[in-house]
Amino acid sequence: MLRFILADLRRLWAGALVIVLLIALAVALGVGVTLQERALRLGSARAADAFDLVIGAPGSETQLALSTVFLQPAALPLMRGALLADLAEDPRVAWAAPVGFGDFYRDFPLVGTTTRLVREFAPALAEGRVFAAEGEAVVGSRVPLAIGAEITPSHGALEHGGQDHEGVHYHVAGRMAPTGTAWDRAILVPIRSVWDVHGMEGADGHDPGHAHDGRDQDHDGHGFDPAAPLDEAWHRDDTPGLPAILVKPASIADAYKLRQDYRAGGATLAVFPAEVLTGLYGLLGDARQVLSFVALGAQLLVAAALALVTVIHVGQRRRQVAALRAFGAPRGAIFALVWSEMLLLLAAGILLGFAGGWLAAVQLSRLVSARQGFDLPVEWAPGDAAGLAALLVVAAVLAALPAWIAYRQPAVASLRG
């Protein structure tokens, strides 16, 4: 029977190929949507794991999380720099690191921070060392710059009209090991160099409510000395305003206490990035449901088209079926032959669709990872096997329709026709 089926498919290869491709495209759409949404959830959740608590000025919780975790450019308001000294002295805090951003090198964001954050993110650098002077930088694992390379930062991304900081240059001192976060595409520089480049003064001379997006100062390079040694001692009266502070609480209980304290009064905003992402996942889930309904609609249309095609296909093979009956083939054998042939086509399309959906999700994840920096793992789940089994069962039921038509076909009438 198998040789007969294969010979029949070779004879009707064009129609068989169309059936397989239609099924594969419909299945690949649904599988790709499911895998990509899951990859985005897993990747963003893993990227947020490295950030326990983020403190910033009052505003949007979502934007604060996106700007610090995923380094999405935005004009965040600044909070009082004195809070950095308060956190450094707080026994509930294991460590706190300031974050200042807005400048770029090409399309790679420059992030002003401290040596402590670099060591926490990458305890062992892939190469080189941590910056030790204002004019040194540490690059993420995805930044294509060699040790010793010179960087001239710009006000905002050049592709969006940014302008270079004239007379300001950093030299790459080290490279972080991969972290799986958007910070793999970042260039980390001393926070004091960011303040000096933008002419930002201490608490007495800076408006803490001013938005910081890398273009808010006219003092280009004011006070910047690339050879100046690092000073990471924070004082309440001379620390400029900050868009965000990354905090590592000493314990889980301390994390909730800190969040409560820095949300009370309205002077600051404290968020758990993972908690903020949970709200975004709700939006992603709604979008996935819409796309899933679109995929289901496409699959139903394909199923209806296939049912019509198979009925026509059986009608065109009436004489062949009748000849088999005339040579003594029983009705059960005819049913099994047609059913097996259609099931083979349907199963091939389903399996090809699963493979195509997976490949599409992998390629899209690579594009997003290259652009955003954090990994999007495309992974199968136990439920996917159940979905595959369910589709094969549906395929077996659909294949029975043309088989039943062939089974009921009268041999004599078909030969006379």
Side-chain angles (χ1 to χ4, degrees):
M1 180 181 292
L2 180 60
R3 287 193 297 177
F4 186 88
I5 292 174
L6 294 177
D8 200 36
L9 291 177
R10 280 196 297 269
R11 184 172 62 87
L12 303 171
W13 67 270
L17 181 61
V18 170
I19 292 174
V20 171
L21 290 179
L22 279 174
I23 299 169
L25 289 174
V27 173
L29 178 60
V31 171
V33 168
T34 299
L35 291 178
Q36 190 59 51
E37 189 268 344
R38 184 184 302 152
L40 187 56
R41 283 176 180 265
L42 289 173
S44 58
R46 292 174 183 176
D49 282 344
F51 304 85
D52 295 311
L53 180 66
V54 179
I55 297 176
S60 169
E61 293 186 1
T62 301
Q63 190 57 66
L64 179 60
L66 292 178
S67 294
T68 52
V69 176
F70 302 104
L71 300 179
Q72 296 298 307
L76 294 180
L78 302 184
M79 58 185 166
R80 294 184 301 110
L83 294 175
L84 187 57
D86 295 338
L87 289 168
E89 298 173 1
D90 195 321
R92 300 172 297 176
V93 176
W95 57 265
V99 177
F101 31 69
D103 287 344
F104 286 80
Y105 172 72
R106 297 177 184 171
D107 61 341
F108 299 102
L110 263 72
V111 181
T113 187
T114 62
T115 56
R116 179 62 184 268
L117 184 138
V118 176
R119 293 191 177 98
E120 293 292 338
F121 261 35
L125 294 181
E127 57 180 323
R129 57 174 175 78
V130 180
F131 47 71
E134 281 199 21
E136 294 182 340
V138 173
V139 298
S141 61
R142 293 176 182 262
V143 180
L145 290 173
I147 301 298
E150 185 176 90
I151 299 169
T152 299
S154 62
H155 289 296
L158 290 177
E159 60 184 7
H160 296 139
Q163 297 180 346
D164 285 343
H165 285 287
E166 296 182 4
V168 177
H169 306 287
Y170 294 98
H171 289 85
V172 177
R175 178 184 303 278
M176 292 195 301
T179 65
T181 71
W183 289 55
D184 286 341
R185 294 189 72 257
I187 300 173
L188 277 59
V189 299
I191 185 66
R192 288 201 182 275
S193 70
V194 175
W195 293 335
D196 290 340
V197 166
H198 294 92
M200 297 175 67
E201 303 175 5
D204 294 334
H206 181 73
D207 177 7
H210 196 286
H212 177 60
D213 64 355
R215 294 185 293 274
D216 55 338
Q217 298 290 337
D218 296 324
H219 309 286
D220 208 15
H222 173 76
F224 176 74
D225 180 4
L230 294 186
D231 178 10
E232 295 184 342
W234 317 119
H235 305 285
R236 290 181 178 82
D237 57 348
D238 65 354
T239 302
L242 292 165
I245 301 175
L246 300 181
V247 179
K248 176 69 174 180
S251 67
I252 296 178
D254 290 331
Y256 282 94
K257 291 177 182 177
L258 286 167
R259 186 183 69 156
Q260 180 179 358
D261 289 348
Y262 283 91
R263 290 174 73 94
T268 55
L269 178 67
V271 300
F272 295 142
E275 192 176 77
V276 174
L277 290 179
T278 301
L280 294 178
Y281 293 155
L283 298 177
L284 288 176
D286 293 340
R288 183 179 70 85
Q289 286 185 345
V290 172
L291 292 176
S292 296
F293 283 129
V294 172
L296 179 60
Q299 292 169 2
L300 291 176
L301 289 175
V302 170
L306 287 176
L308 179 62
V309 168
T310 52
V311 171
I312 296 173
H313 180 63
V314 172
Q316 291 176 340
R317 297 176 59 187
R318 292 178 60 194
R319 295 181 63 84
Q320 181 187 27
V321 172
L324 290 174
R325 290 288 310 283
F327 281 110
R331 286 178 180 271
I334 298 297
F335 182 93
L337 178 65
V338 176
W339 180 81
S340 299
E341 183 174 327
M342 290 307 304
L343 180 59
L344 181 62
L345 292 177
L346 295 174
I350 291 171
L351 294 175
L352 185 61
F354 264 74
W358 180 80
L359 287 175
V362 168
Q363 292 301 320
L364 183 57
S365 292
R366 288 177 178 173
L367 291 175
V368 175
S369 296
R371 179 67 179 174
Q372 302 299 330
F374 62 97
D375 297 328
L376 296 180
V378 179
E379 300 178 358
W380 296 106
D384 297 327
L388 174 59
L391 284 176
L392 291 176
V393 170
V394 172
V397 174
L398 288 177
L401 174 62
W404 176 253
I405 295 175
Y407 176 85
R408 298 286 296 173
Q409 179 176 300
V412 176
S414 299
L415 286 175
R416 288 176 179 174

